[in-house]
C-alpha cells in the first residue's frame, strides 16, 4: 500500500522529472531568441496551472548559462512600474525582461494601463520582453490598438502520454520500487481525469489527490 499521497503538492516537485514539452520549448525559445536579437514583445498565455512557469523556468535556466544574456524577472504589480521605468539596460549584455501575472494590469485604470503598455513598447526597443498572462484575450488587443507589435504564444494542456508520465512519476515518489504504470488508478479513471482536467497538470493533480485518498481509505 502507498503510505503517502504524492499528489498533495500541486506545483512541480524538485524530486520529479519535468514533463518535457519539447515542441513548445523549442518554439518559445526561438521566439525569445528572435526577441533578444531585434527587441520584441512575446506574450505567453495559458490557464493557471497549465505549465507556463515550468516552461519558462526551463528556458531561463538555459539562458543563464550564457554570459551574454541577463534575465530580469518580476511579478507584475502596480509598484513594479517605477522599477521598470528606471531600468538601466546595458548595450553589452542582451536582456530578457519577464513579467509574470501581467494580467494584473487590468487592475489599473485605463490611463495607467496605457502608460504601462507604452513603457512595454519603449523597453522592447532595448530588450526582449516576455509577458505571462492567465487570460485568453488580454494585453495583445491593447497592443494592436496602440499599433505595437507583439507575438502571442499559447500553451495548452498536456497530451495524454505526457500527463500519464506525470502521474507515473508522482506515484514512483512513494513506491518502494519504481514501476511504469499508474496503479492504483485504472485506465478508465485516467480517461476521466484527463477529460475533466483538459490536460492541465494542476487540475489533474488536484483530482488525483482526492481520488488517491479515497482509494487509501478503502484499504484501511
Amino acid at each position: 500500500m502507498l503510505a503517502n499521497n504524492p499528489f498533495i503538492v500541486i506545483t512541480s516537485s524538485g524530486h520529479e522529472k519535468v514533463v518535457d514539452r519539447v515542441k513548445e520549448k523549442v518554439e518559445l525559445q526561438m521566439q525569445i531568441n528572435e526577441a533578444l536579437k531585434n527587441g520584441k514583445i512575446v506574450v505567453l498565455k495559458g490557464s493557471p496551472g497549465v505549465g507556463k512557469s515550468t516552461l519558462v523556468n526551463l528556458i531561463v535556466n538555459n539562458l543563464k548559462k550564457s554570459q551574454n544574456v541577463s534575465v530580469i524577472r518580476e511579478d507584475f504589480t502596480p509598484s513594479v512600474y517605477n522599477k521598470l521605468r528606471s531600468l538601466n539596460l546595458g548595450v553589452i549584455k542582451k536582456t530578457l525582461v519577464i513579467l509574470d501575472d501581467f494580467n494584473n494590469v487590468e487592475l489599473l485604470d485605463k490611463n495607467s494601463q496605457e502608460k504601462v503598455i507604452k513603457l512595454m513598447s519603449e523597453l522592447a526597443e532595448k530588450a526582449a520582453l516576455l509577458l505571462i498572462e492567465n487570460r485568453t484575450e488580454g494585453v495583445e488587443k491593447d497592443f494592436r490598438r496602440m499599433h505595437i507589435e507583439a507575438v502571442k504564444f499559447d500553451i495548452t494542456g498536456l497530451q495524454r502520454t505526457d500527463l500519464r508520465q506525470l502521474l507515473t512519476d508522482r506515484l514512483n515518489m512513494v513506491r518502494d520500487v519504481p514501476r511504469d504504470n499508474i496503479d492504483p488508478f485504472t485506465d478508465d479513471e485516467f480517461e476521466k481525469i484527463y477529460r475533466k482536467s483538459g490536460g492541465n497538470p494542476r487540475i489533474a493533480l488536484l483530482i488525483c489527490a482526492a481520488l488517491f485518498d479515497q482509494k487509501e481509505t478503502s484499504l484501511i
Side-chain angles (χ1 to χ4, degrees), residues 108-149:
L108 304 175
D109 59 69
K110 289 296 182 182
N111 185 48
S112 297
Q113 286 184 35
E114 293 207 355
K115 286 182 179 179
V116 171
I117 299 301
K118 183 179 179 182
L119 177 61
M120 296 302 102
S121 179
E122 293 170 354
L123 288 175
E125 295 177 2
K126 302 176 182 178
L129 266 68
L130 178 61
L131 311 180
I132 305 175
E133 286 204 321
N134 293 328
R135 50 184 177 168
T136 303
E137 180 71 13
V139 71
E140 65 273 10
K141 71 177 183 300
D142 297 316
F143 284 137
R144 288 195 299 268
R145 178 172 52 81
M146 297 177 68
H147 306 290
I148 298 170
E149 184 179 355

Side-chain angles (χ1 to χ4, degrees), residues 177-189:
V177 179
R179 299 195 299 274
D180 189 21
N181 60 47
I182 57 171
D183 182 63
F185 302 138
T186 66
D187 289 338
D188 285 343
E189 286 171 335

Side-chain angles (χ1 to χ4, degrees), residues 79-129:
S79 62
V80 169
Y81 176 81
N82 289 330
K83 184 174 182 178
L84 294 173
R85 192 172 56 176
S86 61
L87 278 180
N88 184 17
L89 300 174
V91 294
I92 298 177
K93 267 193 173 184
K94 296 177 181 178
T95 304
L96 172 63
V97 179
I98 302 173
L99 296 178
D100 285 295
D101 295 324
F102 194 74
N103 42 283
N104 286 338
V105 72
E106 67 185 359
L107 300 176
L108 304 175
D109 59 69
K110 289 296 182 182
N111 185 48
S112 297
Q113 286 184 35
E114 293 207 355
K115 286 182 179 179
V116 171
I117 299 301
K118 183 179 179 182
L119 177 61
M120 296 302 102
S121 179
E122 293 170 354
L123 288 175
E125 295 177 2
K126 302 176 182 178
L129 266 68

Side-chain angles (χ1 to χ4, degrees), residues 7 21 25 27 33-35 40-41 47 63 67-68 77 79 81 88 92 108 126 137 139 142 155 157 173 175 179 200:
F7 303 104
R21 290 176 176 265
K25 185 169 67 176
E27 290 179 354
N33 289 344
E34 181 66 23
K40 186 164 62 176
I41 300 170
S47 59
L63 287 175
Q67 296 182 356
N68 294 322
T77 62
S79 62
Y81 176 81
N88 184 17
I92 298 177
L108 304 175
K126 302 176 182 178
E137 180 71 13
V139 71
D142 297 316
I155 177 172
M173 290 169 60
R175 285 168 170 163
R179 299 195 299 274
N200 184 306

